[in-house]
C-alpha cells in the first residue's frame, strides 16, 4: 500500500511540468526548530504578542530579547536537514520549480535551493523603522535592541509580524507560482494561518494534484490532498527521491 503511494507520487512528480513545494515549520523540525503549534509548539511557551508591531515598537527591549533568543540564538544554530537537501536536489534535477515557504529560518537556501519565496519574510536582514536602511542581521545583534548605525532608529527583523501585510512582491510571486502548479507538494504545515494557508487553494483552483507530507493530518488532508505520505519530512523525502532515481 505504502509503496504504491510512493510509486504514484514519484510518477506524478517526474511527469510534472510545474511542481511547487509549499513548506511550513514541520520541514525544519528535524533541524531542531520547534513548530508553532502542537504539544511542544512555540506558542505554548511564549505569548506571541512580542511579534505584534505596536508591542514591538512600545516594548523594543522586551520584544527584541525574545526575538533574539528564539529566532537568532536558537534558530540561528539550526542546520538544514535531509528534507531541505532533498528539495534542493529535486530543484537541481528540474522537478521542483519553486518553494513557497512560511519559514524564516533560511534553511532551504542554506541547503542549496535557489527559487525560494519567503512568504513570511526572512530573519537574515533588519530594517530601520526610521530611515528604512537595511542591514545584515549577523553583526548587529551584539546589543539589544539594535539601533541603526546611520540614524540611530530602531531596527526591526524583516520577517512578517502578526497583523502585518505580506510583502507585495512575494505575495504576487507566490500566487503566480500556485496558479501555474500542476503538482503541489504540501510539507509540514497545519494550514491554519492566513493568508499563507490560502495559497494551496489557488493551486486547487488550477486543478493541481496534491501530495502531502506530514506526521499527522492537516486542514488540507481531507479536503484537497490526493496522496498523503504520512511521516517525518526527511524520511518521506529521502524515500521519495529513491523512487525518482
Ligand atoms: N515532518 C513533517 N511535518 C511535521 C513534522 C515532521 N518531522 N513535525 C511536525 N510536523 C507538522 C505538524 O503536524 C504540523 O502540521 O508540521 C506542522 C507544523 O504546524 P505549525 O506549527 O502550525 O507550523 P506552520 O503551519 O508552518 O505555521 C504557519 O504560523 O505562527 C505562524 O508565522 C508562523 O509560519 C508560521 C505559520
Amino acid at each position: 500500500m505504502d509503496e504504491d503511494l510512493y510509486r504514484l507520487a514519484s510518477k506524478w512528480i517526474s511527469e510534472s511540468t510545474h511542481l511547487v513545494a509549499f513548506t511550513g515549520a514541520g520541514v525544519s523540525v528535524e533541524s531542531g526548530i520547534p513548530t508553532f503549534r502542537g504539544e511542544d509548539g512555540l506558542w505554548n511557551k511564549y505569548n506571541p504578542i512580542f511579534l505584534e508591531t505596536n508591542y514591538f515598537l512600545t516594548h523594543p527591549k522586551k520584544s527584541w530579547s525574545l526575538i533574539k533568543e528564539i529566532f537568532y540564538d536558537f534558530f540561528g544554530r539550526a542546520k538544514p536537514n535531509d528534507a531541505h537537501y532533498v528539495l534542493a536536489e529535486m530543484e537541481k534535477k528540474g522537478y521542483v520549480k519553486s518553494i513557497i515557504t512560511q519559514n524564516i529560518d533560511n534553511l532551504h537556501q542554506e541547503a542549496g535551493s535557489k527559487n525560494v519565496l519567503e512568504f513570511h519574510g526572512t530573519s537574515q536582514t533588519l530594517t530601520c523603522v526610521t530611515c528604512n536602511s537595511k542591514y545584515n542581521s549577523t553583526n548587529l545583534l551584539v546589543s539589544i535592541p539594535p539601533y541603526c548605525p546611520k540614524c540611530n532608529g530602531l531596527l526591526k527583523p524583516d520577517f512578517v509580524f502578526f497583523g502585518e501585510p505580506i510583502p507585495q512582491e512575494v505575495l504576487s510571486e507566490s500566487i503566480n507560482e500556485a496558479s501555474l502548479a500542476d503538482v503541489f507538494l504540501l510539507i509540514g504545515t497545519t494550514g491554519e494561518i492566513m493568508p499563507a494557508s490560502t495559497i494551496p487553494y489557488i493551486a486547487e483552483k488550477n486543478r493541481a494534484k496534491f501530495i502531502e507530507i506530514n506526521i499527522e493530518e492537516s486542514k488540507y488532508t481531507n479536503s484537497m490532498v490526493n496522496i498523503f505520505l504520512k511521516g517525518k519530512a526527511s524520511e518521506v523525502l529521502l524515500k521519495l527521491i529513491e523512487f525518482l532515481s
Side-chain angles (χ1 to χ4, degrees), residues 23-223:
T23 67
V27 81
S28 296
V29 163
E30 288 142 270
S31 296
I33 292 183
T35 58
F36 293 96
R37 292 159 200 87
E39 71 244 33
D40 53 0
L42 273 170
W43 300 147
N44 297 349
K45 294 192 189 90
Y46 298 95
N47 177 343
I49 191 171
F50 73 96
L51 285 183
E52 283 178 15
T53 313
N54 42 21
Y55 182 87
F56 172 80
L57 295 174
T58 48
H59 306 76
K61 193 159 178 56
K62 257 168 100 178
S63 184
W64 253 113
S65 58
L66 279 171
I67 288 172
K68 181 172 183 297
E69 178 194 325
I70 300 169
F71 298 107
Y72 291 95
D73 297 346
F74 182 11
F75 284 24
R77 284 194 295 272
K79 293 282 165 267
N81 67 65
D82 285 328
H84 299 105
Y85 286 117
V86 167
L87 286 170
E89 187 60 23
M90 285 172 69
E91 181 188 59
K92 235 180 264 155
K93 289 185 180 319
Y95 295 124
V96 169
K97 294 291 182 278
S98 63
I99 297 177
I100 303 169
T101 187
Q102 300 169 81
N103 303 338
I104 58 170
D105 54 32
N106 201 53
L107 293 180
H108 284 302
Q109 294 92 324
E110 284 178 34
S113 288
K114 299 279 177 274
N115 195 5
V116 180
L117 299 174
E118 294 176 298
F119 200 80
H120 288 152
T122 177
S123 56
Q124 302 301 300
T125 49
L126 313 174
T127 297
C128 173
V129 298
T130 309
C131 72
N132 257 338
S133 302
K134 205 175 270 288
Y135 301 95
N136 236 315
S137 57
T138 29
N139 41 21
L140 273 167
L141 295 183
V142 275
S143 64
I144 293 298
Y147 289 102
C148 175
K150 273 200 203 124
C151 77
N152 210 26
L154 178 63
L155 295 181
K156 180 172 174 293
D158 283 343
F159 49 77
V160 177
F161 278 40
F162 286 113
E164 276 187 334
I166 301 300
Q168 191 44 52
E169 193 182 339
V170 74
L171 178 62
S172 37
E173 284 176 339
S174 301
I175 292 170
N176 185 48
E177 279 300 300
S179 60
L180 292 172
D182 62 334
V183 175
F184 206 78
L185 205 44
L186 288 160
I187 309 174
T189 180
T190 45
E192 283 183 16
I193 290 297
M194 298 280 282
S197 53
T198 60
I199 293 295
Y201 293 95
I202 297 169
E204 186 191 31
K205 259 216 309 286
N206 180 48
R207 287 189 304 288
K209 292 195 281 231
F210 283 82
I211 300 166
E212 181 173 32
I213 298 171
N214 203 315
I215 55 169
E216 61 192 18
E217 293 187 352
S218 70
K219 276 195 179 297
Y220 302 116
T221 314
N222 298 313
S223 65

